[in-house]
Amino acid sequence: MEERMNVFKELALSVWDFKSYRKFLCNRGGKVFGFSALLLGIYLLLNTVFMAFEAFGVMHVLQNELLAQIPDFVLEDGILTVEEAVEYESAGVYIYINTDTHVSTEELEDILRTHSTVTLMDDVGLVLQSNGERQMLTYEELQEMVGSGRYNQDDLRRFLQQYVPYLYIIVLIVLLFVALGSIGAFYFRVLLVSLIALVIASVMGVKLPYGKIFALSIYTRTVPVLIRLLLNLIGFLTVSGVSIPFFWIIDLVISGVYAGLALDAIRSHMQRQYTPGAGGY
């Protein structure tokens, strides 16, 4: 009689014991789903914690540092005056604020071409760029948007502080959608791996129903998911983060290798144990 394993033991064995994959195929659908839920739960819990710390860290900086560093300015009658010039450049981000100078069209195009994120304010107007999207406003247009009157840095601080709590709600909604996207991506990758495993099984001559192949593919996702989690952790702990080119291909290759090794172990067992009329794995 086969030893019954809990999902935590299966999680460990799916990393290094390919012979155990034969036992995994004896699991019913509910237990296989429980394994995938555990694997996804670990990933989503830790990954969401990393993302939440980053997002709320940015919000903390916004509330306690950036708001305090807003330079003195006055917007009145379509004219913006900033007392102190600001220039900042780092990792594709460029901020330039100086209402006493004019940035020429040639200079502006050069800045926008060489930086991914730009905030530029000269004596004419405001230029914003993010992810290739650009927006340009003259101070007259900006005045029309906020209304007539006189506005200064204190008005901006009050405005931002009023809407900061809503940003927390937006962050939580974004995290929810990220989690739903991760769940969908997980099962989509399982589907792709199952097709790869189906081809491998056909080449090896291992005859298994597709439902068993799909279940096997879920167990092959353990190592790729843990690697993704490790990369996210490194990215959370370091400023630059980690980026591996074509990792989605490496991800599928790892699962494909695990599927091949597991199917090879299953084939070896079948060759040793099979007797005419007995069947089974």
Side-chain angles (χ1 to χ4, degrees), residues 209-260:
Y210 178 72
K212 298 294 184 181
I213 294 289
F214 189 86
L216 180 143
S217 301
I218 289 177
Y219 289 93
T220 68
R221 296 300 302 154
T222 302
V223 171
V225 168
L226 294 178
I227 292 175
R228 285 180 178 274
L229 190 58
L230 178 62
L231 293 176
N232 290 342
L233 174 60
I234 295 173
F236 172 70
L237 295 176
T238 61
V239 177
S240 58
V242 177
S243 178
I244 300 178
F246 303 105
F247 179 74
W248 67 274
I249 297 178
I250 299 173
D251 176 289
L252 295 177
V253 168
I254 293 173
S255 283
V257 170
Y258 265 75

Side-chain angles (χ1 to χ4, degrees), residues 162-183:
Q162 178 182 356
Y163 286 96
V164 160
Y166 295 102
L167 295 180
Y168 284 99
I169 297 176
I170 293 174
V171 168
L172 293 175
I173 293 174
V174 169
L175 290 176
L176 174 62
F177 276 100
V178 169
L180 293 175
S182 296
I183 294 172

Side-chain angles (χ1 to χ4, degrees), residues 11-265:
L11 186 67
L13 291 176
S14 65
V15 175
W16 59 271
D17 189 2
F18 300 106
K19 293 180 180 179
S20 293
Y21 277 75
R22 173 182 60 83
K23 300 176 182 179
F24 298 160
L25 297 186
C26 298
N27 293 336
R28 294 182 177 180
K31 190 172 184 181
V32 174
F33 176 78
F35 178 88
S36 67
L38 173 65
L39 187 59
L40 264 173
I42 293 173
Y43 175 81
L44 291 177
L45 176 63
L46 296 179
N47 194 51
T48 301
V49 169
F50 300 154
M51 294 180 63
F53 266 108
E54 290 182 340
F56 293 139
V58 171
M59 300 295 296
H60 177 79
V61 170
L62 174 63
Q63 281 188 288
N64 298 282
E65 296 182 25
L66 292 183
L67 291 180
Q69 297 178 12
I70 295 176
D72 294 342
F73 72 89
V74 174
L75 175 64
E76 187 176 18
D77 298 330
I79 299 174
L80 178 69
T81 303
V82 180
E83 292 189 5
E84 184 178 352
V86 176
E87 186 170 15
Y88 172 83
E89 183 175 10
S90 176
V93 177
Y94 184 72
I95 300 174
Y96 180 78
I97 302 175
N98 190 340
T99 55
D100 293 328
T101 63
H102 178 72
V103 178
S104 67
T105 303
E106 293 77 13
E107 291 174 317
L108 177 61
E109 288 298 327
D110 183 63
I111 293 171
L112 295 175
R113 186 177 61 256
T114 54
H115 299 84
S116 58
T117 303
V118 175
T119 299
L120 188 146
M121 304 172 72
D122 63 358
D123 63 339
V124 175
L126 165 68
V127 179
L128 300 173
Q129 175 173 275
S130 179
N131 298 322
E133 297 293 328
R134 299 178 184 179
Q135 184 173 5
M136 301 183 182
L137 287 173
T138 64
Y139 296 133
E140 289 85 355
E141 293 170 332
L142 182 61
Q143 184 82 62
E144 291 178 3
M145 292 174 61
V146 300
S148 60
R150 186 177 188 272
Y151 299 91
N152 59 26
Q153 66 280 355
D154 295 327
D155 298 310
L156 179 58
R157 289 193 187 98
R158 283 193 294 269
F159 175 82
L160 292 176
Q161 288 173 342
Q162 178 182 356
Y163 286 96
V164 160
Y166 295 102
L167 295 180
Y168 284 99
I169 297 176
I170 293 174
V171 168
L172 293 175
I173 293 174
V174 169
L175 290 176
L176 174 62
F177 276 100
V178 169
L180 293 175
S182 296
I183 294 172
F186 174 83
Y187 286 106
F188 178 71
R189 293 188 183 102
V190 170
L191 177 62
L192 293 179
V193 173
S194 70
L195 298 177
I196 296 172
L198 201 60
V199 173
I200 296 174
S202 177
V203 172
M204 287 185 171
V206 179
K207 295 183 179 180
L208 292 173
Y210 178 72
K212 298 294 184 181
I213 294 289
F214 189 86
L216 180 143
S217 301
I218 289 177
Y219 289 93
T220 68
R221 296 300 302 154
T222 302
V223 171
V225 168
L226 294 178
I227 292 175
R228 285 180 178 274
L229 190 58
L230 178 62
L231 293 176
N232 290 342
L233 174 60
I234 295 173
F236 172 70
L237 295 176
T238 61
V239 177
S240 58
V242 177
S243 178
I244 300 178
F246 303 105
F247 179 74
W248 67 274
I249 297 178
I250 299 173
D251 176 289
L252 295 177
V253 168
I254 293 173
S255 283
V257 170
Y258 265 75
L261 293 172
L263 288 168
D264 182 62

